Amino acid sequence: MTYLKKALAAAAVTLAVSFPAHAETTLNVHYPMPGFFKDVMDTISKKFMEENPDIKITFANPSATYEEGIQTIMRQAGTAEMPDVTFIGLNRLRMVNERDIPVDLGPFMAKDGNMAEQGFSDNILKLAQVQGKQVGLAFATSNPIMYYNADLVRKVGGNPDQPPKTWDEVIALSSKIKALGDGNEGIDFRWQGDDWMFSALLFGAGGKMLNDDETSVAFNGPEGVKAFELVDRMVKEGGLPVFTKQAGEQAFVAGKVGFAFQTTGALRNTIKNVGDKFDLRTGHIPLIDPVNGKLPTGGNAAVMLTRDAEKQDAAWKFIKFAAGPFGASVVVPGTGYVPNNELAAKSPDYLGDFYKENPLFRAGLEQMPLMQPWYAFPGSNGVKVTQTIVENLSRVVEQSAEPKEALDDAAAEVEGLLPRS
């Protein structure tokens, strides 16, 4: 009898060790741009797992850019390598949806209740919708802003407390900074990588990428001509060098560039890298057309990929947490992106006092009323379309083609990449 009791006790211990008190669901999560998001993702996932001990978050190797990220997901779709959750550039949601890769979040939202009460307004939800389908939840959203070196502006007689409001004013100051010599450059405009900064100029002139029924290119109209001609002026008059993205960033934070134009999402890294080397300021990016001009919404959305029902419930929890008030309160100060959750933006528990204490972050926030969706080209050639625009814009920066010639070439090439009806 004693032996039996001991055996049963041993068996009980074995069972207790073999089976945890709760089942654990593991989610494999992929994200792009670790330079911006690694610390943010680590913080969000740690807090999430503390509040949801039955869900474990693991990370796939991050992609260096949004473009690399979407190509990775397209390759992995339907395979065992595909992650359960990914973060996709807003302009590529249409592409993955046309391949039926994402899981529609609509049923999860309907089951969950009133999303507006959780800080997800209709405008915020629309950022990650494709033809009415909720493909994801906007996680990090941005707009392009002006970064400037107040010390260099002062040195050429400008007033850094009244930053330039027009492109003419920017170019005039940039020209003077370039004339200082000693390795100083007037301007860095982040044209490389994708079509986002081109769309900032195009939308800022009141233009659009395609016509209303998306059958033909529209970016080669008068607005597109103004955009390409402005880049040409940046080179010829403002001292825009043929920088790589990395070289441009390094030159600016070293104090050798007067004005830099890129995403507000780079703000935290820029502040850290500038340190006390010079007086860093931020301002609104000028619009070619101040009346009709708009700005593209950059950033990404959290997207569910897993078709496993148990994992889907866990994935929805993580997506809503990451895009919710806590996630936004980590993303904004950790990067510079603008808040995409209204509870986070208004509540003193999250970001209510942040902008009062951190004035460099205000430019992106103040431009939010100008934001419109980052245009997503139809069909499967979206990445090629983007590359075509960038390659032809580079011809203007390198001064190997006139603006109208490069723009017309880009339009002709893109026309051939659009889907045939």
Side-chain angles (χ1 to χ4, degrees):
M1 203 57 152
T2 302
Y3 173 80
L4 180 59
K5 287 181 180 178
K6 287 182 179 178
L8 289 172
V13 170
T14 301
L15 286 170
V17 171
S18 300
F19 297 96
H22 51 77
E24 185 178 81
T25 300
T26 298
L27 293 176
N28 187 242
V29 176
H30 166 265
Y31 65 91
M33 298 167 59
F36 285 3
F37 293 116
K38 183 183 185 305
D39 291 345
V40 165
M41 289 294 183
D42 288 346
T43 301
I44 290 173
S45 62
K46 181 180 178 182
K47 180 68 172 175
F48 176 78
M49 288 187 287
E50 287 174 359
E51 296 187 9
N52 298 270
D54 57 334
I55 302 174
K56 180 181 179 182
I57 303 298
T58 62
F59 289 112
N61 288 332
S63 301
T65 65
Y66 287 141
E67 299 304 298
E68 289 184 22
I70 187 63
Q71 291 182 54
T72 296
I73 295 303
M74 297 288 274
R75 284 196 308 269
Q76 294 178 347
T79 72
E81 293 180 318
M82 186 177 73
D84 301 307
V85 173
T86 188
F87 291 76
I88 293 177
L90 295 174
N91 69 324
R92 297 301 181 219
L93 295 177
R94 181 175 184 168
M95 182 186 294
V96 291
N97 187 61
E98 287 176 349
R99 290 272 301 272
D100 196 30
I101 295 173
V103 174
D104 184 2
L105 298 184
F108 295 90
M109 287 167 36
K111 183 179 178 182
D112 204 75
N114 191 331
M115 294 294 287
E117 292 178 356
Q118 301 174 62
F120 299 99
S121 68
D122 285 344
N123 285 338
I124 288 171
L125 292 175
K126 285 177 182 176
L127 289 173
Q129 290 176 0
V130 177
Q131 298 176 333
K133 175 181 173 180
Q134 196 70 46
V135 177
L137 287 184
F139 170 69
T141 51
S142 65
N143 55 64
I145 64 170
M146 175 172 67
Y147 298 74
Y148 61 102
N149 183 325
D151 295 344
L152 289 178
V153 170
R154 285 191 199 94
K155 201 168 184 178
V156 297
N159 182 356
D161 296 327
Q162 294 180 357
K165 293 181 170 57
T166 68
W167 282 110
D168 285 344
E169 292 173 358
V170 169
I171 289 173
L173 283 169
S174 298
S175 178
K176 292 178 181 179
I177 291 170
K178 173 71 173 178
L180 291 172
D182 192 30
N184 288 300
E185 305 289 358
I187 191 169
D188 176 34
F189 187 83
R190 193 55 43 78
W191 56 271
Q192 314 92 329
D194 55 42
D195 61 4
W196 192 62
M197 288 301 291
F198 165 65
S199 68
L201 298 181
L202 179 70
F203 298 168
K208 55 187 179 181
M209 289 291 190
L210 300 186
N211 63 3
D212 289 342
D213 61 6
E214 298 188 315
T215 58
S216 182
V217 166
F219 65 72
N220 60 336
E223 301 86 1
V225 171
K226 290 177 183 177
F228 266 55
E229 286 179 343
L230 178 57
V231 174
D232 189 53
R233 286 187 63 201
M234 289 183 196
V235 178
K236 291 176 177 173
E237 302 173 42
L240 171 65
V242 186
F243 275 144
T244 63
K245 177 178 180 293
Q246 184 178 20
E249 290 172 349
Q250 291 174 346
F252 182 77
V253 301
K256 290 297 184 180
V257 176
F259 293 89
F261 294 88
Q262 68 154 318
T263 173
T264 185
L267 181 54
R268 175 56 67 191
N269 280 346
T270 303
I271 292 171
K272 180 177 68 176
N273 292 331
V274 168
D276 58 2
K277 290 195 284 289
F278 62 86
D279 182 3
L280 172 67
R281 305 284 186 93
T282 61
H284 298 182
I285 185 172
L287 302 174
I288 293 175
D289 183 341
V291 176
N292 300 307
K294 298 291 184 182
L295 293 174
T297 302
N300 62 69
V303 176
M304 185 189 301
L305 302 179
T306 180
R307 302 288 169 164
D308 180 282
E310 182 180 349
K311 284 192 171 186
Q312 284 184 344
D313 289 339
W316 170 241
K317 287 183 181 179
F318 178 70
I319 287 171
K320 194 173 67 165
F321 184 83
F326 179 81
S329 72
V330 175
V331 170
V332 171
T335 59
Y337 283 82
V338 296
N340 60 348
N341 184 281
E342 292 187 351
L343 289 183
K346 297 174 182 177
S347 171
D349 293 336
Y350 298 105
L351 297 170
D353 298 324
F354 175 78
Y355 290 98
K356 297 175 186 175
E357 300 165 359
N358 297 272
L360 291 178
F361 288 76
R362 289 180 195 160
L365 182 73
E366 291 164 356
Q367 291 182 156
M368 287 185 74
L370 296 171
M371 291 165 63
Q372 67 181 38
W374 184 0
Y375 186 73
F377 286 90
S380 60
N381 289 324
V383 174
K384 290 181 180 178
V385 167
T386 292
Q387 290 171 341
T388 296
I389 293 172
V390 171
E391 287 167 3
N392 281 282
L393 199 59
S394 74
R395 296 168 66 202
V396 178
V397 176
E398 294 164 0
Q399 297 287 281
S400 63
E402 291 298 315
K404 187 69 166 64
E405 175 192 358
L407 181 63
D408 287 344
D409 286 349
E413 291 178 53
V414 171
E415 198 78 46
L417 293 170
L418 296 177
R420 303 297 177 201
S421 57

